PDB file of all heavy atoms in Angstrom:
ATOM      1  N   ASN A  99     -23.999  25.091  -2.632  1.00 98.00           N
ATOM      2  CA  ASN A  99     -25.378  25.642  -2.330  1.00 98.00           C
ATOM      3  C   ASN A  99     -25.775  26.649  -3.376  1.00 98.00           C
ATOM      4  O   ASN A  99     -26.673  27.467  -3.295  1.00 98.00           O
ATOM      5  CB  ASN A  99     -25.403  26.214  -0.882  1.00 98.00           C
ATOM      6  CG  ASN A  99     -24.362  27.308  -0.744  1.00 98.00           C
ATOM      7  OD1 ASN A  99     -23.679  27.729  -1.644  1.00 98.00           O
ATOM      8  ND2 ASN A  99     -24.223  27.711   0.499  1.00 98.00           N
ATOM      9  N   TRP A 100     -24.959  26.695  -4.524  1.00 98.00           N
ATOM     10  CA  TRP A 100     -25.180  27.658  -5.619  1.00 98.00           C
ATOM     11  C   TRP A 100     -24.659  29.070  -5.210  1.00 98.00           C
ATOM     12  O   TRP A 100     -24.474  29.851  -6.123  1.00 98.00           O
ATOM     13  CB  TRP A 100     -26.650  27.807  -6.127  1.00 98.00           C
ATOM     14  CG  TRP A 100     -27.258  26.558  -6.586  1.00 98.00           C
ATOM     15  CD1 TRP A 100     -28.209  25.771  -6.033  1.00 98.00           C
ATOM     16  CD2 TRP A 100     -26.845  25.869  -7.864  1.00 98.00           C
ATOM     17  NE1 TRP A 100     -28.438  24.696  -6.905  1.00 98.00           N
ATOM     18  CE2 TRP A 100     -27.647  24.734  -7.971  1.00 98.00           C
ATOM     19  CE3 TRP A 100     -25.896  26.109  -8.852  1.00 98.00           C
ATOM     20  CZ2 TRP A 100     -27.560  23.775  -9.028  1.00 98.00           C
ATOM     21  CZ3 TRP A 100     -25.743  25.207  -9.932  1.00 98.00           C
ATOM     22  CH2 TRP A 100     -26.624  24.077 -10.086  1.00 98.00           C
ATOM     23  N   GLU A 101     -24.402  29.278  -4.036  1.00 98.00           N
ATOM     24  CA  GLU A 101     -23.858  30.641  -3.616  1.00 98.00           C
ATOM     25  C   GLU A 101     -22.362  30.568  -3.512  1.00 98.00           C
ATOM     26  O   GLU A 101     -21.633  31.282  -4.183  1.00 98.00           O
ATOM     27  CB  GLU A 101     -24.470  31.006  -2.155  1.00 98.00           C
ATOM     28  CG  GLU A 101     -25.900  31.207  -2.150  1.00 98.00           C
ATOM     29  CD  GLU A 101     -26.287  32.607  -2.645  1.00 98.00           C
ATOM     30  OE1 GLU A 101     -25.438  33.506  -2.536  1.00 98.00           O
ATOM     31  OE2 GLU A 101     -27.413  32.785  -3.149  1.00 98.00           O
ATOM     32  N   ILE A 102     -21.887  29.701  -2.734  1.00 98.00           N
ATOM     33  CA  ILE A 102     -20.419  29.428  -2.578  1.00 98.00           C
ATOM     34  C   ILE A 102     -19.844  28.715  -3.761  1.00 98.00           C
ATOM     35  O   ILE A 102     -18.824  29.047  -4.277  1.00 98.00           O
ATOM     36  CB  ILE A 102     -20.065  28.676  -1.228  1.00 98.00           C
ATOM     37  CG1 ILE A 102     -20.631  29.337   0.008  1.00 98.00           C
ATOM     38  CG2 ILE A 102     -18.613  28.362  -1.110  1.00 98.00           C
ATOM     39  CD1 ILE A 102     -19.963  30.687   0.370  1.00 98.00           C
ATOM     40  N   TYR A 103     -20.579  27.720  -4.134  1.00 98.00           N
ATOM     41  CA  TYR A 103     -20.172  26.976  -5.363  1.00 98.00           C
ATOM     42  C   TYR A 103     -21.401  26.185  -6.033  1.00 98.00           C
ATOM     43  O   TYR A 103     -22.382  26.018  -5.283  1.00 98.00           O
ATOM     44  CB  TYR A 103     -19.101  25.904  -4.978  1.00 98.00           C
ATOM     45  CG  TYR A 103     -17.860  26.045  -5.907  1.00 98.00           C
ATOM     46  CD1 TYR A 103     -17.297  27.266  -6.112  1.00 98.00           C
ATOM     47  CD2 TYR A 103     -17.440  24.984  -6.700  1.00 98.00           C
ATOM     48  CE1 TYR A 103     -16.224  27.509  -6.973  1.00 98.00           C
ATOM     49  CE2 TYR A 103     -16.347  25.167  -7.624  1.00 98.00           C
ATOM     50  CZ  TYR A 103     -15.704  26.394  -7.800  1.00 98.00           C
ATOM     51  OH  TYR A 103     -14.762  26.532  -8.721  1.00 98.00           O
ATOM     52  N   PRO A 104     -21.334  25.820  -7.269  1.00 98.00           N
ATOM     53  CA  PRO A 104     -22.494  25.023  -7.856  1.00 98.00           C
ATOM     54  C   PRO A 104     -22.867  23.804  -7.066  1.00 98.00           C
ATOM     55  O   PRO A 104     -21.958  23.103  -6.481  1.00 98.00           O
ATOM     56  CB  PRO A 104     -22.082  24.728  -9.214  1.00 98.00           C
ATOM     57  CG  PRO A 104     -20.931  25.644  -9.577  1.00 98.00           C
ATOM     58  CD  PRO A 104     -20.207  25.911  -8.220  1.00 98.00           C
ATOM     59  N   ARG A 105     -24.058  23.364  -7.186  1.00 98.00           N
ATOM     60  CA  ARG A 105     -24.510  22.158  -6.581  1.00 98.00           C
ATOM     61  C   ARG A 105     -24.142  21.062  -7.586  1.00 98.00           C
ATOM     62  O   ARG A 105     -25.011  20.549  -8.345  1.00 98.00           O
ATOM     63  CB  ARG A 105     -25.952  22.153  -6.152  1.00 98.00           C
ATOM     64  CG  ARG A 105     -26.489  20.895  -5.574  1.00 98.00           C
ATOM     65  CD  ARG A 105     -27.699  21.053  -4.718  1.00 98.00           C
ATOM     66  NE  ARG A 105     -27.353  21.630  -3.465  1.00 98.00           N
ATOM     67  CZ  ARG A 105     -28.228  22.411  -2.660  1.00 98.00           C
ATOM     68  NH1 ARG A 105     -29.476  22.606  -3.101  1.00 98.00           N
ATOM     69  NH2 ARG A 105     -27.761  22.782  -1.525  1.00 98.00           N
ATOM     70  N   PHE A 106     -22.934  20.594  -7.425  1.00 98.00           N
ATOM     71  CA  PHE A 106     -22.465  19.516  -8.452  1.00 98.00           C
ATOM     72  C   PHE A 106     -23.295  18.265  -8.368  1.00 98.00           C
ATOM     73  O   PHE A 106     -23.367  17.617  -9.334  1.00 98.00           O
ATOM     74  CB  PHE A 106     -20.983  19.291  -8.256  1.00 98.00           C
ATOM     75  CG  PHE A 106     -20.089  20.345  -8.703  1.00 98.00           C
ATOM     76  CD1 PHE A 106     -19.014  20.869  -7.846  1.00 98.00           C
ATOM     77  CD2 PHE A 106     -20.238  20.924  -9.950  1.00 98.00           C
ATOM     78  CE1 PHE A 106     -18.113  21.778  -8.324  1.00 98.00           C
ATOM     79  CE2 PHE A 106     -19.305  21.890 -10.400  1.00 98.00           C
ATOM     80  CZ  PHE A 106     -18.275  22.303  -9.538  1.00 98.00           C
ATOM     81  N   SER A 107     -23.893  17.933  -7.301  1.00 98.00           N
ATOM     82  CA  SER A 107     -24.697  16.668  -7.105  1.00 98.00           C
ATOM     83  C   SER A 107     -25.894  16.649  -8.094  1.00 98.00           C
ATOM     84  O   SER A 107     -26.440  15.647  -8.336  1.00 98.00           O
ATOM     85  CB  SER A 107     -25.107  16.495  -5.705  1.00 98.00           C
ATOM     86  OG  SER A 107     -25.849  17.504  -5.322  1.00 98.00           O
ATOM     87  N   GLU A 108     -26.228  17.832  -8.678  1.00 98.00           N
ATOM     88  CA  GLU A 108     -27.372  17.939  -9.567  1.00 98.00           C
ATOM     89  C   GLU A 108     -26.944  18.097 -11.052  1.00 98.00           C
ATOM     90  O   GLU A 108     -27.830  18.278 -11.894  1.00 98.00           O
ATOM     91  CB  GLU A 108     -28.306  19.101  -9.187  1.00 98.00           C
ATOM     92  CG  GLU A 108     -28.914  19.016  -7.811  1.00 98.00           C
ATOM     93  CD  GLU A 108     -29.771  20.210  -7.346  1.00 98.00           C
ATOM     94  OE1 GLU A 108     -29.795  21.230  -8.178  1.00 98.00           O
ATOM     95  OE2 GLU A 108     -30.320  20.142  -6.271  1.00 98.00           O
ATOM     96  N   LEU A 109     -25.670  18.101 -11.231  1.00 98.00           N
ATOM     97  CA  LEU A 109     -25.205  18.467 -12.537  1.00 98.00           C
ATOM     98  C   LEU A 109     -24.547  17.330 -13.387  1.00 98.00           C
ATOM     99  O   LEU A 109     -23.948  16.356 -12.737  1.00 98.00           O
ATOM    100  CB  LEU A 109     -24.091  19.586 -12.542  1.00 98.00           C
ATOM    101  CG  LEU A 109     -24.585  20.873 -11.869  1.00 98.00           C
ATOM    102  CD1 LEU A 109     -23.526  21.860 -11.954  1.00 98.00           C
ATOM    103  CD2 LEU A 109     -25.823  21.430 -12.659  1.00 98.00           C
ATOM    104  N   GLU A 110     -24.793  17.410 -14.668  1.00 98.00           N
ATOM    105  CA  GLU A 110     -24.148  16.451 -15.644  1.00 98.00           C
ATOM    106  C   GLU A 110     -23.279  17.266 -16.541  1.00 98.00           C
ATOM    107  O   GLU A 110     -23.509  18.324 -16.765  1.00 98.00           O
ATOM    108  CB  GLU A 110     -25.194  15.697 -16.450  1.00 98.00           C
ATOM    109  CG  GLU A 110     -25.990  14.705 -15.735  1.00 98.00           C
ATOM    110  CD  GLU A 110     -26.997  14.095 -16.696  1.00 98.00           C
ATOM    111  OE1 GLU A 110     -27.156  14.432 -17.809  1.00 98.00           O
ATOM    112  OE2 GLU A 110     -27.683  13.154 -16.201  1.00 98.00           O
ATOM    113  N   ASN A 111     -22.198  16.607 -17.086  1.00 98.00           N
ATOM    114  CA  ASN A 111     -21.326  17.355 -18.118  1.00 98.00           C
ATOM    115  C   ASN A 111     -21.918  17.139 -19.497  1.00 98.00           C
ATOM    116  O   ASN A 111     -23.048  16.397 -19.615  1.00 98.00           O
ATOM    117  CB  ASN A 111     -19.855  16.883 -18.018  1.00 98.00           C
ATOM    118  CG  ASN A 111     -19.645  15.451 -18.225  1.00 98.00           C
ATOM    119  OD1 ASN A 111     -20.496  14.783 -18.770  1.00 98.00           O
ATOM    120  ND2 ASN A 111     -18.477  14.900 -17.859  1.00 98.00           N
ATOM    121  N   ALA A 112     -21.262  17.588 -20.491  1.00 98.00           N
ATOM    122  CA  ALA A 112     -21.901  17.554 -21.904  1.00 98.00           C
ATOM    123  C   ALA A 112     -22.043  16.061 -22.328  1.00 98.00           C
ATOM    124  O   ALA A 112     -22.782  15.813 -23.273  1.00 98.00           O
ATOM    125  CB  ALA A 112     -21.103  18.313 -22.833  1.00 98.00           C
ATOM    126  N   ASN A 113     -21.229  15.097 -21.773  1.00 96.00           N
ATOM    127  CA  ASN A 113     -21.419  13.699 -22.122  1.00 96.00           C
ATOM    128  C   ASN A 113     -22.560  13.043 -21.406  1.00 96.00           C
ATOM    129  O   ASN A 113     -22.664  11.799 -21.597  1.00 96.00           O
ATOM    130  CB  ASN A 113     -20.035  13.081 -21.869  1.00 96.00           C
ATOM    131  CG  ASN A 113     -18.922  13.726 -22.472  1.00 96.00           C
ATOM    132  OD1 ASN A 113     -18.978  14.288 -23.571  1.00 96.00           O
ATOM    133  ND2 ASN A 113     -17.748  13.754 -21.674  1.00 96.00           N
ATOM    134  N   GLY A 114     -23.235  13.737 -20.504  1.00 98.00           N
ATOM    135  CA  GLY A 114     -24.192  13.135 -19.748  1.00 98.00           C
ATOM    136  C   GLY A 114     -23.867  12.316 -18.531  1.00 98.00           C
ATOM    137  O   GLY A 114     -24.561  11.502 -17.983  1.00 98.00           O
ATOM    138  N   THR A 115     -22.561  12.652 -18.085  1.00 98.00           N
ATOM    139  CA  THR A 115     -22.025  11.967 -16.915  1.00 98.00           C
ATOM    140  C   THR A 115     -22.340  12.863 -15.730  1.00 98.00           C
ATOM    141  O   THR A 115     -21.974  14.041 -15.665  1.00 98.00           O
ATOM    142  CB  THR A 115     -20.567  11.764 -17.056  1.00 98.00           C
ATOM    143  OG1 THR A 115     -20.254  11.062 -18.166  1.00 98.00           O
ATOM    144  CG2 THR A 115     -19.912  11.078 -15.807  1.00 98.00           C
ATOM    145  N   ALA A 116     -22.983  12.282 -14.770  1.00 98.00           N
ATOM    146  CA  ALA A 116     -23.119  12.932 -13.340  1.00 98.00           C
ATOM    147  C   ALA A 116     -21.766  13.223 -12.835  1.00 98.00           C
ATOM    148  O   ALA A 116     -20.863  12.407 -12.980  1.00 98.00           O
ATOM    149  CB  ALA A 116     -23.952  12.107 -12.392  1.00 98.00           C
ATOM    150  N   VAL A 117     -21.499  14.455 -12.344  1.00 98.00           N
ATOM    151  CA  VAL A 117     -20.048  14.808 -11.911  1.00 98.00           C
ATOM    152  C   VAL A 117     -19.810  14.484 -10.524  1.00 98.00           C
ATOM    153  O   VAL A 117     -18.590  14.412 -10.128  1.00 98.00           O
ATOM    154  CB  VAL A 117     -19.778  16.298 -12.314  1.00 98.00           C
ATOM    155  CG1 VAL A 117     -19.861  16.508 -13.767  1.00 98.00           C
ATOM    156  CG2 VAL A 117     -20.729  17.308 -11.534  1.00 98.00           C
TER     157      VAL A 117
END
Side-chain angles (χ1 to χ4, degrees):
N99 58 6
W100 298 115
E101 293 280 334
I102 301 292
Y103 233 56
R105 179 156 284 154
F106 285 133
S107 59
E108 294 176 0
L109 298 181
E110 292 179 352
N111 61 17
N113 309 321
T115 303
V117 296

